Amino acid sequence: MDKKINISWDILVKKVRWGLTPEEESAFREWLAQDKSHEVYFERVRKVWDADEPTSSLKSNLSKVMTRFDAYVEKEKELRRRRIMRNVYRYAACLLVVLTVGGGMWFFSQNDESVKVEPKMAQEILPGGNRAIILLADGEKVDVEWLADSSRYKVDGVEVTTEEGKIRYMGKSNTKVEYNTIMIPRGGEYQVELSDGTKVWLNAETQLRIPTTFVGTERRVFLKGEAYFDVTKNDKQPFIVETDLGEVKVYGTQFNVKFYPEEREIKATLVEGNIGFRSEQVAELKIKPGYQLRLAEGAKKPEVKPVKIYNEIAWKNRMFCFESERLESIMVKLERWYNVDVVFEDPALKNFKFSGNLNRYDNIDKILHFFEEVFDVKFVVDGNTIKVMRK
């Protein structure tokens, strides 16, 4: 087996900025040729650097030596910006002297034409898409958005199919339990197939901690956020979804669990099959299909009621479905999916209620305009912030 070649960060930065000496170029070429992913990684770094964009979304999918490269690049770019700004200030000071001494007043008096200011292009707010970060057992992060454009990527028993937006765990024959965490950012979603064949759809701003293979008498995963589960039936090894407010236990069924810590409640909605819920305050409680269990933080007794399943799992079906839902709750969902911040200028507007179905992949302007037709509200988009105010 060939020895793994690591490369100095300085060489990568010099390659992007100035160029390399013959010896450095030779080392760079050797590193580049060793693994296709090295070429992909360097191309991403080069594009980010040339575009002068932040590197916060750039995560290494290579060896551990690369995991801190993002911060290094960011620091280098900041130093470059400071040098540029020092030169700008120096040249501006010189220009001011020239204008003042050499007839600068004539320049200002003769320039009667109004200054034309190019309108600033509004930042387009796009709907979410297939975005996920896999935190491997050894601490390495794999950002699937920055993987190669090839259809499949394999690492440590995990296969990522980027075209389909799926992460598949192939299972290992060893009995050692190792955990991965699938992290879905704002504006993201992804599908995961666990080692037992169970399929999971993950909504925006969600974390799912899972064993790479299921060992023992149960199949236990840990959830923060929202996920839809289609569990492979196994009577001898129940499937358990654990949250901070309790756990859902199943043997083979389809259901949705929503637990965002900031919302201080858990909702478990059963589509088919049967599930049980239990917590420190609640003995195991069975739920029938078409029903939803809702338990608020601090409550001793959950609420169980029939719901319209389609509305509860609309996000999985690429839709927003609201039924007499408060505008505040609706805007929280838009924040997560479109990766925006919403500010209510008048808190009373939060209580407006709305019913309707909207395409989750529509342009956000279309969705906001729809609300403006229904409510006595208007929306002002300022960068990545949406202000809600009265008309």
Side-chain angles (χ1 to χ4, degrees), residues 208-244:
L208 182 69
R209 185 170 180 258
I210 58 173
T212 55
T213 189
F214 291 108
V215 177
T217 59
E218 65 180 23
R219 296 170 288 168
R220 183 178 292 268
V221 300
F222 306 85
L223 176 70
K224 288 185 179 180
E226 184 169 21
Y228 181 92
F229 295 85
D230 184 354
V231 177
T232 299
K233 186 175 179 61
N234 185 341
D235 292 336
K236 296 180 180 179
Q237 200 177 29
F239 192 95
I240 299 172
V241 181
E242 181 175 330
T243 74
D244 290 346

Side-chain angles (χ1 to χ4, degrees), residues 323-340:
E323 184 166 348
S324 192
E325 186 165 345
R326 295 175 69 243
L327 185 58
E328 179 183 28
S329 174
I330 292 173
M331 298 310 290
V332 167
K333 293 178 180 179
L334 296 187
E335 281 185 317
R336 291 193 179 116
W337 182 236
Y338 289 93
N339 191 18
V340 296

Side-chain angles (χ1 to χ4, degrees), residues 5-115:
I5 299 174
N6 292 326
I7 194 163
S8 166
W9 294 341
D10 291 326
I11 290 181
L12 292 182
V13 172
K14 286 179 67 178
K15 179 66 177 178
V16 171
R17 297 177 62 185
W18 306 299
L20 302 174
T21 66
E23 293 78 11
E24 291 170 336
E25 183 68 28
S26 176
F28 171 76
R29 290 295 174 186
E30 186 179 1
W31 172 80
L32 203 64
Q34 187 188 49
D35 194 308
K36 181 67 176 177
S37 61
H38 291 186
E39 180 180 348
V40 173
Y41 182 85
F42 177 73
E43 182 62 18
R44 301 295 192 193
V45 173
R46 185 190 63 78
K47 287 182 178 179
V48 170
W49 184 282
D50 290 346
D52 201 29
E53 295 173 358
T55 61
S56 57
S57 62
L58 180 62
K59 302 294 180 185
S60 171
N61 59 309
L62 308 178
S63 59
K64 290 182 180 178
V65 72
M66 302 297 292
T67 58
R68 297 185 302 276
F69 185 68
D70 299 339
Y72 182 83
V73 172
E74 193 113 39
K75 181 179 178 181
E76 283 289 315
K77 289 169 69 175
E78 181 60 29
L79 291 174
R80 183 181 68 166
R81 292 189 194 101
R82 291 178 181 177
R83 284 194 291 268
I84 291 173
M85 289 310 298
R86 281 200 299 268
N87 290 335
V88 168
Y89 294 145
R90 186 182 299 118
Y91 297 149
C94 294
L95 179 59
L96 181 60
V97 171
V98 169
L99 289 175
T100 303
V101 176
M105 293 304 293
W106 175 86
F107 171 83
F108 287 110
S109 64
Q110 294 298 316
N111 190 16
D112 293 330
E113 295 182 8
S114 60
V115 177

Side-chain angles (χ1 to χ4, degrees), residues 262-281:
E262 63 273 18
E263 295 183 5
R264 300 179 180 277
E265 68 175 8
I266 182 174
K267 292 181 180 179
T269 307
L270 181 57
V271 178
E272 65 177 50
N274 62 83
I275 62 175
F277 175 83
R278 66 181 181 184
S279 68
E280 292 181 358
Q281 293 80 23

Side-chain angles (χ1 to χ4, degrees), residues 257-363:
V257 178
K258 182 179 181 182
F259 169 67
Y260 287 101
E262 63 273 18
E263 295 183 5
R264 300 179 180 277
E265 68 175 8
I266 182 174
K267 292 181 180 179
T269 307
L270 181 57
V271 178
E272 65 177 50
N274 62 83
I275 62 175
F277 175 83
R278 66 181 181 184
S279 68
E280 292 181 358
Q281 293 80 23
V282 181
E284 186 165 338
L285 178 66
K286 296 293 180 69
I287 307 168
K288 297 187 297 184
Y291 280 74
Q292 179 183 86
L293 177 143
R294 179 177 177 178
L295 178 66
E297 184 177 340
K300 295 182 179 180
K301 185 178 180 181
E303 175 188 10
V304 179
K305 64 178 183 179
V307 293
K308 292 183 179 179
I309 295 296
Y310 186 83
N311 290 349
E312 300 301 321
I313 65 171
W315 67 270
K316 172 183 170 289
N317 299 319
R318 305 168 66 94
M319 294 292 292
F320 288 118
C321 293
F322 310 119
E323 184 166 348
S324 192
E325 186 165 345
R326 295 175 69 243
L327 185 58
E328 179 183 28
S329 174
I330 292 173
M331 298 310 290
V332 167
K333 293 178 180 179
L334 296 187
E335 281 185 317
R336 291 193 179 116
W337 182 236
Y338 289 93
N339 191 18
V340 296
D341 295 314
V342 176
V343 177
F344 282 84
E345 297 288 319
D346 182 351
L349 299 177
K350 297 179 180 181
N351 297 318
F352 284 7
K353 292 186 177 181
F354 172 79
S355 297
N357 299 336
L358 298 169
N359 187 337
R360 190 165 138 107
Y361 281 81
D362 268 343
N363 186 294

Side-chain angles (χ1 to χ4, degrees), residues 152-172:
R152 294 185 185 275
Y153 171 82
K154 294 183 180 180
V155 59
D156 197 28
V158 187
E159 180 181 84
V160 181
T161 309
T162 54
E163 291 177 342
E164 301 175 6
K166 293 182 180 178
I167 300 169
R168 178 173 173 263
Y169 281 81
M170 295 170 281
K172 296 181 178 181

